Amino acid sequence: MNLHEYQSKGIFAQYGIPVPSGKVATTPAEAKAIAQEIGGRVVIKSQVLTGGRGKAGGIKLASTPDEAAQLAQQILAMTIKGLPVRKVLVDPASNIQTEIYLGITNDRAARKPVLMASAAGGVDIEEVAHTTPEKIIRTHIDPLMGLRDYQARDVAIEMELPREQWTQFIHIARKLWEVYRDNDATLAEINPLVITGDGKLVALDGKMSIDDNALAVGRHPKLEAMRDLDVEEASEIEAKQHELSYIKLDGNIGCMVNGAGLAMTTMDVIKLFGGSPANFLDIGGGAGPDKVAAAFRIILKEPNIKAILINIFGGITRCDDVARGILTAMSEVGVHVPMVVRLVGTNAKEGRELLANANMGTAETLTDAAQKVVAAAKGG
Ligand code: GDP
Ligand code: MN
């Protein structure tokens, strides 16, 4: 889950990272009032969960409260990369001297978090990473030891940060690590971290991603409450309510599988035979008829579905339960696409009988099932 800029900066502030003292507005009138309170120039920033807001026209400077209201009205009417702007952050404008980049993320290959910094901060760090990777300084963080001050200092030296800013930089880096660690983040990023005209380091932008697994087990109810449902697929929200692991994809073959590994394999085999999966779906072990029916409804709601492959390996999950779930769902939701079912394992025979009685065929092997479903999706 990604946090908005204002949410991330709110957390940064709690940890003592300097941020502009702005507030969030949902109407032009609110933006005007905040601008009045701040006094002087302000920056109006769209709060949408995507990068490049500046380039898209979603960040504008205002000299007066009236102009703030006017620009807030413009920005609140925008849609940036498909996301409606519902809130703007009104921050006091900063006197920017230098823009640097500072971020922490997981380095899977190293099995450690990594701190990254660059003197070439500002708008497009991906571009820097691509064209001039040597401009990004990295240091790995031992998760038990945490980020050591000397590491942050070495980074400051290597990126040729002026000596006057070292103490501030080390403080901010250490606090960013604490933010990252305490919130089970997979990304905590400040871009730009600016040096102002009077030599202060300030986090002008903030971005955090929280590990969904940490949220799923209830470790961060306060962060969970910050979730922005605008960016979540409606189908994924519904799946979560039924405790199904569902991820929408681009293809046209719906998949219902028990077990994450088997679900991945099923998608691979569909691709092997020239098809394209519409989703990842793990109904989990021990899924009863209700859960299967819910899964079915979610798959069938996707408009581009051309065929469905159900691949169940009955262990704890009983194949007859799955068959009953399929039949329940079929009677509830009209099934308008061909379906291929592969059932093996516990109570497979009973399950196949139930389906055969309802005039539904089953496949014996995954290869057979995948070939049949790909042909069906292509109208064969
Ligand atoms: P992003 O484009 O979504 O990453 O949004 P940012 O918050 O990083 O802002 C993009 C750019 O807008 C920054 O790199 C700055 O150059 C500029 N900007 C943001 N806030 C201010 C401000 O207070 N004053 C000035 N002059 N520029 C700002
Ligand atoms: Mn930014």
Side-chain angles (χ1 to χ4, degrees):
M1 172 181 95
N2 296 324
L3 297 186
H4 282 289
E5 175 193 5
Y6 76 94
Q7 296 167 330
S8 304
K9 277 156 70 174
I11 295 171
F12 293 172
Q14 284 167 16
Y15 279 77
I17 297 173
V19 297
S21 57
K23 280 187 189 147
V24 166
T26 52
T27 64
E30 272 172 31
K32 182 175 172 174
I34 297 165
Q36 235 146 14
E37 197 181 311
I38 291 171
R41 276 157 70 80
V42 294
V43 56
I44 314 283
K45 310 182 77 175
S46 53
Q47 299 298 292
V48 280
L49 291 173
T50 176
R53 294 166 303 159
K55 279 186 190 163
I59 296 178
K60 296 218 162 75
L61 285 161
S63 305
T64 64
D66 280 324
E67 198 188 352
Q70 195 190 326
L71 292 175
Q73 183 165 22
Q74 267 179 35
I75 294 175
L76 284 165
M78 289 176 73
T79 299
I80 299 177
K81 296 184 189 167
L83 298 168
V85 181
R86 303 199 195 277
K87 289 180 179 148
V88 290
L89 176 63
V90 184
D91 266 352
S94 302
N95 172 8
I96 302 173
Q97 203 116 87
T98 310
E99 302 198 4
I100 59 187
Y101 174 93
L102 182 65
I104 301 176
T105 188
N106 276 339
D107 182 345
R108 284 169 180 270
R111 298 180 183 180
K112 278 177 188 170
V114 60
L115 176 118
M116 294 173 295
S118 176
V123 189
D124 221 342
I125 196 67
E126 284 80 9
E127 181 68 21
V128 177
H130 189 67
T131 53
T132 47
E134 70 282 359
K135 285 191 181 161
I136 298 179
I137 319 296
R138 291 181 174 78
T139 186
H140 284 100
I141 303 172
D142 182 307
L144 296 178
M145 302 272 279
L147 180 74
R148 315 308 295 174
D149 285 1
Y150 77 85
Q151 293 184 284
R153 192 179 55 241
D154 285 352
V155 169
I157 294 169
E158 210 176 324
M159 66 194 274
E160 296 179 12
L161 188 75
R163 186 177 281 267
E164 303 89 89
Q165 274 82 39
W166 284 7
T167 311
Q168 296 177 62
F169 181 82
I170 292 165
H171 170 78
I172 291 171
R174 192 200 307 142
K175 291 300 168 185
L176 192 64
W177 159 249
E178 288 173 14
V179 165
Y180 182 88
R181 180 197 62 194
D182 293 356
N183 293 287
D184 291 318
T186 53
L187 176 74
E189 184 182 83
I190 306 173
N191 187 31
L193 174 65
V194 301
I195 307 179
T196 62
D198 50 1
K200 297 270 186 337
L201 281 184
V202 180
L204 227 58
D205 190 10
K207 189 172 171 188
M208 286 178 69
S209 304
I210 311 296
D211 188 336
D212 282 313
N213 295 303
L215 296 168
V217 296
R219 280 168 63 88
H220 304 287
K222 279 185 192 151
L223 296 176
E224 181 61 48
M226 293 181 185
R227 191 181 284 280
D228 179 347
L229 296 178
D230 273 351
V231 294
E232 316 249 332
E233 289 287 345
S235 51
E236 291 179 13
I237 295 170
E238 188 180 347
K240 210 171 283 171
Q241 284 160 356
H242 293 283
E243 291 175 26
L244 298 162
S245 301
Y246 175 90
I247 295 165
K248 184 176 151 51
L249 301 167
D250 297 333
N252 59 12
I253 297 175
C255 303
M256 174 162 10
V257 189
N258 65 329
L262 189 59
M264 298 294 281
T265 308
T266 304
M267 287 157 53
D268 281 349
V269 177
I270 287 173
K271 287 200 143 185
L272 184 67
F273 291 111
S276 171
N279 65 277
F280 167 94
L281 172 59
D282 170 15
I283 61 170
D290 289 352
K291 216 166 168 183
V292 174
F296 228 125
R297 280 193 295 272
I298 292 165
I299 293 178
L300 285 168
K301 258 185 212 163
E302 299 298 342
N304 52 336
I305 292 285
K306 289 278 190 300
I308 295 174
L309 173 54
I310 300 173
N311 185 18
I312 301 297
F313 187 88
I316 303 171
T317 307
R318 292 169 33 176
C319 292
D320 55 332
D321 270 353
V322 172
R324 264 187 288 273
I326 294 170
L327 297 173
T328 307
M330 284 180 66
S331 61
E332 279 178 22
V333 211
V335 180
H336 50 279
V337 295
M339 211 158 44
V340 180
V341 189
R342 175 192 176 234
L343 293 175
V344 286
T346 310
N347 292 4
K349 192 164 157 281
E350 291 82 345
R352 288 201 203 107
E353 267 167 27
L354 281 166
L355 295 178
N357 291 343
N359 286 322
M360 284 179 57
T362 54
E364 286 289 325
T365 66
L366 179 52
T367 307
D368 180 29
Q371 279 169 323
K372 279 183 178 153
V373 81
V374 171
K378 286 181 177 159

